[in-house]
Amino acid sequence: MHPFRAAVENRDADAIEALLAEEVVFTSPVAFKPYAGKAITAAILRGVLRVFEDFRYVREIADPDGRDHAFVFTATVGGREIQGCDFLHFDEEGRIDDFTVMVRPLSAAQALSEAMGAQFERISREAAGA
């Protein structure tokens, strides 16, 4: 099992953060502008761990050189079933330098947006304290 998948499935926020490059760029499925940097990305991912219920990866797809991965997942947020995919690119040192999330259906994406919006003050404080 890929170390990122293991960290997420074990809900190990420290292990997830350790896999992030300092210059990681996180592209959210519900925000217009990407977030740059390890501190904010780690804080967002901790927020996601708080709002997703019944999270599980159902498929993992990787390119032959191991630098690009797609992790397909299902979860529940705000009473809505959500399907999504984490698209990750890894730098030469094996750290995530690009992290893009896509989700469906629209009603679940809206529930995710609301749940993460409610978390964003805490996420901002966590990122500032890093």
Side-chain angles (χ1 to χ4, degrees):
M1 179 181 301
H2 192 278
F4 174 79
R5 181 176 180 171
V8 172
E9 289 183 348
N10 291 323
R11 302 180 66 79
D12 186 343
D14 292 336
I16 295 168
E17 185 171 356
L19 290 168
L20 299 174
E22 289 297 326
E23 69 284 353
V24 63
V25 175
F26 179 80
T27 304
S28 165
V30 296
F32 175 74
K33 184 177 167 187
Y35 297 93
K38 183 175 184 174
I40 188 65
T41 300
I44 290 168
L45 295 175
R46 284 190 299 272
V48 170
L49 290 175
R50 291 188 292 268
V51 303
F52 275 166
E53 299 172 17
D54 306 319
F55 182 92
R56 67 185 177 94
Y57 283 116
V58 296
R59 188 176 322 142
E60 181 179 333
I61 305 162
D63 73 335
D65 72 5
R67 303 260 320 259
D68 289 289
H69 283 273
F71 296 92
V72 181
F73 65 84
T74 63
T76 305
V77 62
R80 302 278 184 181
E81 288 190 25
I82 193 167
Q83 296 173 320
C85 190
D86 294 334
F87 295 97
L88 308 180
H89 181 268
F90 292 82
D91 65 16
E92 292 89 17
E93 294 157 9
R95 290 199 169 69
I96 301 164
D97 62 3
D98 188 68
F99 193 133
T100 298
V101 182
M102 294 187 183
V103 296
R104 67 159 306 279
L106 178 59
S107 60
Q110 290 167 330
L112 177 60
S113 179
E114 290 172 16
M116 289 302 291
Q119 293 277 320
F120 219 78
E121 185 177 321
R122 178 176 177 182
I123 288 168
S124 296
R125 282 194 315 267
E126 288 178 6

